[in-house]
Amino acid sequence: MKPSVRAYSLLIAALLPLSACGIPETGVVEAGEPATGVLDPGVTSAPSQSVPEAVPLVKVPLYFVEDGSLVAVDRTVPGPTDLGSSVLMLFKGPDDRERGKGLTTELPPAAEAPTIRTDGTGVTVQLPRSAGILSDTAVDQLACTVAVARLRQDPALGRAQVTVEQPGGRLAGRSSDDCPFGGARETPGDPGTAESTATPGTGGSAAGTGG
């Protein structure tokens, strides 16, 4: 059966707009370069190729106890650090490696951070009430840690004087001159930690002044 004239006319009318717009009747038109960087499902962005910046390591002076004598230890940690962070490390006590070497502490665990004030060569450490009254050795540990850390902050000072304010208004003073921190020796098997012990007659456990 031949299509009617009317149906043929309608077919021609439907095809004319497509030809006028330049749209092909069949086939696929490719344009541009293929897409790149397609992400896997669930990934929102491509991973960064930037190299993370290295964090410098610093040596923090801490004072612990070995056989009743004060011992200076340089603990290597990511820096920088300040007096407050040094004191918090001290109150946490020796780490596993330091305890393995026989180091102990007479400082109690700190529930609160002490308040530290500096004024030139002078440093005041105000202990919270939770710290209680410290032994002379514990005061030595705290004062020497703060004094030596202060001198490393500003070597031009030459010396540092530390006052420890204990609960109840009790004061104890120590000078960096009383602290064993010269002639440090490297610990075998641990090049990142140096220790120095007091030489008889040169201070050791510093004498207390009101402790």
Side-chain angles (χ1 to χ4, degrees), residues 25-40:
E25 300 177 13
T26 58
V28 178
V29 176
E30 297 184 359
E33 298 179 356
T36 59
V38 178
L39 302 178
D40 294 332

Side-chain angles (χ1 to χ4, degrees), residues 52-64:
E53 185 177 351
V55 177
L57 298 178
V58 297
K59 290 184 177 181
V60 177
L62 301 174
Y63 280 79
F64 296 118

Side-chain angles (χ1 to χ4, degrees), residues 145-205:
T145 294
V146 172
V148 176
R150 178 68 178 131
L151 290 180
R152 291 194 182 182
Q153 279 185 339
D154 190 353
L157 293 176
R159 67 190 299 270
Q161 181 71 34
V162 178
T163 300
V164 179
E165 294 184 3
Q166 303 187 69
R170 298 185 64 180
L171 301 179
R174 301 288 188 273
S175 170
S176 58
D177 295 338
D178 300 321
C179 301
F181 64 96
R185 59 180 172 83
E186 294 293 334
T187 303
D190 184 13
T193 303
E195 296 179 4
S196 67
T197 55
T199 302
T202 61
S205 181

Side-chain angles (χ1 to χ4, degrees), residues 28-114:
V28 178
V29 176
E30 297 184 359
E33 298 179 356
T36 59
V38 178
L39 302 178
D40 294 332
V43 179
T44 57
S45 62
S48 173
Q49 299 299 321
S50 60
V51 178
E53 185 177 351
V55 177
L57 298 178
V58 297
K59 290 184 177 181
V60 177
L62 301 174
Y63 280 79
F64 296 118
V65 181
E66 182 181 28
D67 296 329
S69 298
L70 213 61
V71 177
V73 175
D74 274 337
R75 184 183 293 178
T76 303
V77 299
T81 60
D82 55 17
L83 294 181
S85 58
S86 298
V87 169
L88 286 177
M89 274 188 270
L90 177 70
F91 269 94
K92 289 181 179 179
D95 59 21
D96 292 340
R97 178 180 294 177
E98 292 157 352
R99 288 189 182 278
K101 296 173 182 175
L103 301 183
T104 61
T105 182
E106 291 196 12
L107 285 165
E112 304 173 57

